[in-house]
Amino acid sequence: MGYTKDQLLARLQELNIDFSCYDHAVVLTVEEQAKYVGHFGGALSKNLLLKDKKHRLYVVSALAGTKVDMKILSQRLGLGKGGLRMAPEENLLEVLQVPLGCVTPFALINESASAVSLLLDHGFKSKQSCYFHPLTNDVTIALSSSNLDKFLVSIGRQPAYVDLEASPTVGKDNPPDLADLVPSGVPNFSEPIKNVTPTNVPHQNDVPKEKTCLPEVKAKPKVQNKGAEKTQSKAPTNGTNVEEFVNDVFDIMSPLFLSEVSKKLNVKQEELSSIFDGFKERATPDLESVTMILKNASYTAGFDAGFQTMLNSGLNGWPSRK
């Protein structure tokens, strides 16, 4: 079982690290977080968990306003243009041992995340304080980049600050400038991590005193019809697994694209397959990123709807007193 928020905060205190702690409602986006802590003047952060084709994982922690181009970042790591994509939610639970919306450098304290590479925005260095979730997204802590470094060094990490908006030329005479940050080993996900604390349920007050956890929801196994004809269209998955959802979208598009283009250009579908495969490789990271954003937004909407239903019906199913 991974570290808890209280254990992490206790570790920071043991290291004599100065930080401020703010309780608030559960948030799944930077915009929602800003409603509660944005007025304090610190720098908000966005944190991504990415993976490459060899299933190596990367936490990219950037200022909220930093533009992270995954194609350029992939090239700078020496992974090619389409080498990086959003990691599936399973990796959050199994490796970082945090639920959706809780990715931060602090998750690297867990031993299961020892093979995960960390890339920090060099913009953090110029900020007096930076905001991160301490393993749970109903709390935000503020600390300086030097204190963040102190924590990372204490867990055996050498902080690597990167200009994430840079776009250096990568080629024969210009080797990838971030190749040293690629993990040397391939993580083993064969042993699932149990008892991971799920995202908290928001309470009535903006600053909840007690925190109630949602029950763990197990995804239903996906059933594939391997005997279906190629021309038969299929509905995409329900979106709980971003990577599978995107693959399903391309599986639906592929026969339609090849059929229509081959008719108009009088070209065999086999000759067009490589073109579509190239398009899929380039477009997959962007589509996965957009899908993850939509997924996060739907989670936020679901929490809001459930919260309002709870208020309207009363905590025990009885009408609320007014």
Side-chain angles (χ1 to χ4, degrees), residues 95-252:
V95 182
L96 297 187
Q97 298 194 46
V98 295
L100 190 67
C102 300
V103 176
T104 71
F106 291 114
L108 300 183
I109 193 173
N110 291 314
E111 186 177 352
S112 55
S114 60
V116 179
S117 183
L118 174 64
L119 285 73
L120 295 165
D121 191 338
H122 77 149
F124 287 135
K125 288 285 190 179
S126 62
K127 303 299 180 180
Q128 186 174 359
S129 63
C130 309
Y131 292 150
F132 300 96
H133 290 312
L135 309 181
T136 179
N137 54 356
D138 59 354
V139 180
T140 293
I141 61 173
L143 76 171
S144 65
S145 61
S146 59
N147 277 320
L148 175 62
D149 293 348
K150 189 175 181 179
F151 163 76
L152 292 172
V153 170
S154 77
I155 61 172
R157 295 278 182 158
Q158 186 59 40
Y161 287 88
V162 177
D163 182 357
L164 293 171
E165 291 187 333
S167 183
T169 301
V170 177
K172 183 178 180 181
D173 299 325
N174 299 284
D177 62 317
L178 303 181
D180 291 341
L181 299 180
V182 175
S184 57
V186 178
N188 182 7
F189 304 144
S190 59
E191 295 294 333
I193 305 298
K194 298 180 180 180
N195 299 324
V196 178
T197 303
T199 306
N200 292 7
V201 179
H203 285 253
Q204 182 171 354
N205 297 324
D206 287 345
V207 183
K209 295 182 180 180
E210 299 179 356
K211 301 177 177 63
T212 305
C213 294
L214 286 173
E216 183 177 359
V217 179
K218 296 183 179 180
K220 295 181 179 179
K222 179 183 176 184
V223 179
Q224 294 181 339
N225 184 4
K226 295 183 179 181
E229 297 293 334
K230 292 184 178 180
T231 55
Q232 180 181 355
S233 64
K234 65 175 182 177
T237 63
N238 60 10
T240 56
N241 186 307
V242 170
E243 185 177 358
E244 289 183 5
F245 177 82
V246 172
N247 284 333
D248 286 346
V249 170
F250 280 116
D251 287 344
I252 294 172

Side-chain angles (χ1 to χ4, degrees), residues 35-47:
K35 295 178 182 179
Y36 299 103
V37 299
H39 59 285
F40 292 126
L44 292 163
S45 66
K46 58 184 178 183
N47 300 270

